Amino acid sequence: MLSKTDINSAVKNLKNLSYLPELQEATVIESDKKGFLFCLSGGFNLVYKYLTVQKQTKALRINFTGNFDAVFLRIAKIADYLKHKHLPYFVDFTYYEKALFIKGQDWSAITMEWREGLLLKDYLKAHLQQPQKIAALAEAFKTMIETLHKHQIAHGDLQHGNILVHPNGNISLLDYDSVIIPEFVDSQETITGLRTYQHPQRFLKTTNNSHLKIDFFSELVIYASLVVLSKKPELFNSMALDKTEGLLFTEADFKDIGKAAVTKDIVAIAGCEPYMIILAYYLSLENLHDLVYFGDVLNWLEAAKGREHFYGFYGNYYHEKMQAAPEQAPIFKTEAEKLNCWQKQKLLREGKNKLLSEPIENKPEARKSLETFKVNGYSFDMIYVEGGSFMMGATAEQGNDARDNEKPVHEVRLDSFYLGKFVVTQGLWEAVMGSNPSNFNSGDNYPVENVSWDDCQVFIKKLNSLTGKDFRLPTEAEWEYAARGGPFPSSGGVSAGRGGKYSGSNDLDEVAWYDDNSDNETHAVGLKKPNALGLYDMSGNVWEWCNDWYGGYSSSSSQTNPKGPSTGSDRVLRGGSWIYYGFSCRLSSRYYFYPNSRYIHSGFRLAFSSSK
């Protein structure tokens, strides 16, 4: 490892010690007349400012541990990915494996465009008398992170030393070795960030694989800190933030957020208590794949009228941590409602991490997770889907593939129901109808297709008469909820078949047949990986008719058991198919056809209510 003195000496003598012509001819900028170099330091990096012979101001970044050599390929891939995204938050950079000769060995370096600005804490300190600029910075930060989500980028080490604020209030990110792009998902993390910005679970060896939600915790920490400081800027000096390793929070605060001194300061500020509730919930999670973008949770909070529903899920955990006085606790209409909410939180703290929508005391003890039915000798399975709440629509993981008809994101609460383990197969259709309309007449275990929404109603009516049951098509909300794997926030993470961009995975080939892998035909059901509920082919193979008329999402307001518009000209389909592009297989992707339309890419899945 080199010292700062070693690197300073080399930079002062670039003409003789650099392998790069641009650096050999460069003029390194000094910070004062005494000859001290202009240098920024952060993490294990030193950044110097220099002028090229063309009078371009650029930055030279040197890592004094020398660890760049081990990650050359990774950095090159990051540079290429970011270059094609053309985002204003990143600076184009070039990595040189052999840039300098320092103390008898070759040393790598990065050159990039120089951007004027102040590091985050310096900017805050300079604008304590202008809280409106800090508030604007908070919103600029939120806009930036939402843009990164859409482009499937996680920085991996968000902290004050890696955020540069320009004179106009715009933001640039620094230090890109930690960046996570889709190609790096599930790979071993090389950088875990500052502990004052990161979830404690990130530092456990069992949880340190890369994923695109890795910034969600630090995003909340930074955004909440900026909002709080915009409302109470005097905290910056009273907490001596210019001398700490974090913003408002310390590593110790995250170990017991309820007893942290800063918590009392924050909850006393109007409008800031929700950030502490979300932070307390985040800290209750053991699996970082379960993190949900705080902006979606805030939207959900806004949609939950009176906030009772939000407090019902999160409030007791938070207020118990605060050891709040009774008058501070959430208000419940009945003692049973209060007891039920406490039971939910007890389950959460015990690690089951499952939020329930049905009252626990009324939950059937012997509910079967799977029921098998037989009609004319043909068997089929239905999976029990426990009711709950979720955010429906173009949530963050859907990225820039999301379409306008998937917005706005809105909270939906659903009762429990059953859904077919597989789409209706040709074998089941023939057992009920005595014929097979499919274009690909490939066998009993292949999906029936070439059926209209109207045809599905005829089939279901006959199936119900044969079985005495009340089968139906799922509502569009039921379909998306089941495809996502269960209640919001979904437990278990992508690795457990929940969440992800597609049903059960971020890797489309794991779970779906679509245009790139289908060989232009349907495939037998159940060959791909199921999601967390044990449902197969929710992404790909055939589009699935839903019961709803098609229409736009009218608002972000909370809804209970929505059934779509009362009238319309088209019916909804979900899930994508063997002949469509991969983006149509996303969880929130929506499609529609006339109800009498028959296509070789469209089938359906059965549902029935759990009380039936």
Side-chain angles (χ1 to χ4, degrees):
M1 181 183 291
L2 298 176
S3 68
K4 184 175 181 178
T5 301
D6 295 331
I7 298 176
N8 277 339
S9 298
V11 172
K12 285 183 176 181
N13 194 19
L14 287 177
K15 183 175 181 179
N16 296 316
L17 295 180
S18 174
Y19 295 107
L20 308 179
E22 179 180 293
L23 292 180
Q24 291 170 1
E25 299 172 353
T27 301
V28 181
I29 295 176
E30 298 175 350
S31 59
D32 58 31
K33 295 180 180 179
K34 294 181 181 180
F36 290 106
L37 298 180
F38 186 98
C39 178
L40 298 175
S41 61
F44 297 104
N45 301 292
L46 298 176
V47 180
Y48 299 88
K49 187 177 182 181
Y50 70 93
L51 282 174
T52 67
V53 292
Q54 293 82 20
K55 302 302 180 182
Q56 293 177 305
T57 306
K58 299 187 74 173
L60 171 66
R61 178 182 163 213
I62 302 171
N63 181 290
F64 51 79
T65 67
N67 286 335
F68 274 158
D69 294 339
V71 291
F72 169 69
L73 183 59
R74 175 188 176 89
I75 294 175
K77 288 181 177 180
I78 292 170
D80 184 64
Y81 189 87
L82 296 180
K83 186 175 182 179
H84 286 85
K85 292 297 181 179
H86 304 292
L87 298 178
Y89 311 111
F90 297 96
V91 180
D92 287 343
F93 65 92
T94 304
Y95 172 80
Y96 296 98
E97 188 174 12
K98 184 179 178 182
L100 300 164
F101 188 76
I102 308 176
K103 292 199 73 174
Q105 59 181 313
D106 294 333
W107 215 260
S108 58
I110 283 176
T111 63
M112 63 182 72
E113 170 195 351
W114 181 272
R115 291 188 180 179
E116 294 293 341
L118 296 172
L119 293 178
L120 179 58
K121 280 195 181 184
D122 296 328
Y123 183 88
L124 293 173
K125 188 175 182 178
H127 293 87
L128 294 178
Q129 304 304 315
Q130 298 171 292
Q132 71 279 6
K133 288 197 173 184
I134 300 177
L137 179 62
E139 295 313 304
F141 177 79
K142 189 167 182 280
T143 298
M144 178 191 72
I145 60 179
E146 290 176 348
T147 302
L148 299 190
H149 296 170
K150 290 179 181 180
H151 290 274
Q152 296 186 281
I153 299 168
H155 182 274
D157 186 17
L158 286 177
Q159 42 119 326
H160 61 269
N162 287 332
I163 298 173
L164 185 72
V165 187
H166 305 295
N168 63 1
N170 291 339
I171 297 172
S172 290
L173 293 174
L174 308 176
D175 199 358
Y176 305 155
D177 348 347
S178 57
V179 166
I180 299 166
I181 57 178
E183 183 177 346
F184 300 157
V185 169
D186 288 333
S187 63
Q188 186 77 14
E189 279 197 289
T190 56
I191 296 172
T192 50
L194 281 181
R195 291 177 181 267
T196 49
Y197 290 88
Q198 300 299 330
H199 196 294
Q201 291 290 332
R202 190 172 180 191
F203 301 97
L204 301 180
K205 291 183 179 179
T206 56
T207 60
N208 58 355
N209 278 353
S210 299
H211 55 91
L212 293 172
K213 292 185 176 184
I214 207 67
D215 286 341
F216 282 9
F217 186 85
S218 55
E219 289 169 356
L220 172 61
V221 168
I222 295 170
Y223 180 76
S225 296
L226 294 176
V227 172
V228 168
L229 289 170
S230 73
K231 295 173 180 284
K232 195 173 182 180
E234 59 268 29
L235 285 176
F236 188 94
N237 289 324
S238 66
M239 296 179 66
L241 296 186
D242 56 340
K243 299 177 182 178
T244 65
E245 285 295 314
L247 281 174
L248 293 181
F249 302 97
T250 67
E251 181 183 358
D253 291 338
F254 297 149
K255 294 179 180 178
D256 196 342
I257 194 64
K259 294 181 179 178
V262 71
T263 298
K264 294 180 180 179
D265 290 327
I266 294 175
V267 298
I269 300 172
C272 292
E273 186 181 41
Y275 304 121
M276 296 309 299
I277 297 176
I278 301 170
L279 184 61
Y281 176 72
Y282 277 8
L283 289 167
S284 76
L285 297 174
E286 295 182 0
N287 190 329
L288 300 189
H289 289 279
D290 294 345
L291 289 171
V292 180
Y293 170 50
F294 76 83
D296 288 339
V297 184
L298 288 173
N299 289 338
W300 187 43
L301 169 57
E302 186 178 348
K305 294 180 180 178
R307 301 197 296 180
E308 292 91 345
H309 190 69
F310 182 85
Y311 277 95
F313 276 169
Y314 298 99
N316 276 338
Y317 177 84
Y318 162 72
H319 281 287
E320 183 190 55
K321 284 287 188 182
M322 301 302 111
Q323 298 180 342
E327 62 269 16
Q328 294 176 291
I331 298 172
F332 301 99
K333 294 178 181 177
T334 66
E335 284 299 312
E337 183 180 339
K338 180 178 180 180
L339 174 64
N340 180 48
C341 190
W342 277 99
Q343 287 174 309
K344 291 175 184 179
Q345 294 301 330
K346 183 174 183 293
L347 287 174
L348 181 63
R349 293 191 298 275
E350 287 173 349
K352 295 183 180 179
N353 190 27
K354 199 165 191 179
L355 303 176
L356 311 175
S357 67
E358 295 181 337
I360 293 176
E361 59 271 23
N362 296 331
K363 181 176 171 58
E365 293 295 329
R367 176 73 67 190
K368 293 182 179 179
S369 61
L370 180 146
E371 289 200 21
T372 301
F373 298 87
K374 183 176 287 188
V375 58
N376 290 336
Y378 192 90
S379 298
F380 61 99
D381 294 332
M382 302 291 291
I383 300 285
Y384 178 67
V385 181
E386 186 174 30
S389 296
F390 78 112
M391 300 306 292
M392 184 173 180
T395 45
E397 80 285 337
Q398 297 304 303
N400 59 357
D401 285 335
R403 299 295 187 261
D404 287 344
N405 71 346
E406 301 166 32
K407 303 172 185 177
V409 176
H410 52 289
E411 184 211 8
V412 170
R413 297 190 288 271
L414 294 172
D415 293 335
S416 301
F417 60 99
Y418 281 85
L419 192 66
K421 182 177 182 180
F422 307 112
V423 292
V424 170
T425 61
Q426 295 178 27
L428 178 55
W429 182 281
E430 285 194 64
V432 173
M433 304 298 290
S435 60
N436 185 356
S438 302
N439 179 73
F440 300 105
N441 197 333
S442 304
D444 284 353
N445 288 331
Y446 284 72
V448 69
E449 23 80 12
N450 205 29
V451 292
S452 68
W453 186 93
D454 293 337
D455 294 333
C456 295
Q457 302 308 308
V458 175
F459 170 89
I460 289 170
K461 183 177 180 180
K462 188 168 184 181
L463 174 65
N464 289 340
S465 69
L466 291 172
T467 61
K469 301 296 180 180
D470 193 14
F471 292 102
R472 57 177 174 81
L473 290 177
T475 66
E476 185 178 17
E478 287 174 333
W479 188 98
E480 184 172 327
Y481 176 75
R484 288 180 179 273
F488 170 83
S490 58
S491 60
V494 178
S495 60
R498 296 181 187 271
K501 192 170 186 176
Y502 312 101
S503 183
S505 180
N506 275 320
D507 182 349
L508 184 56
D509 286 299
E510 277 190 334
V511 294
W513 298 108
Y514 64 110
D515 70 326
D516 280 354
N517 67 5
S518 68
D519 292 328
N520 293 318
E521 61 184 2
T522 60
H523 290 261
V525 299
L527 298 181
K528 292 289 187 178
K529 174 184 170 183
N531 75 358
L533 296 176
L535 299 168
Y536 290 83
D537 303 306
M538 293 290 282
S539 288
N541 219 359
V542 290
W543 284 103
E544 300 180 25
W545 287 108
C546 294
N547 198 62
D548 306 41
W549 289 108
Y550 172 77
Y553 296 150
S554 57
S555 75
S556 59
S557 299
S558 177
Q559 301 175 40
T560 300
N561 297 319
K563 293 179 170 56
S566 57
T567 60
S569 58
D570 302 281
R571 295 285 185 175
V572 173
L573 297 101
R574 287 300 207 105
S577 85
W578 60 271
I579 199 173
Y580 276 71
Y581 294 125
F583 70 79
S584 68
C585 300
R586 294 177 298 104
L587 290 169
S588 61
S589 177
R590 310 177 71 207
Y591 209 48
Y592 53 92
F593 285 128
Y594 292 128
N596 61 355
S597 301
R598 296 187 181 104
Y599 294 101
I600 61 176
H601 49 61
S602 301
F604 67 108
R605 190 180 300 256
L606 294 169
F608 71 85
S609 301
S610 63
S611 59
K612 300 297 182 181

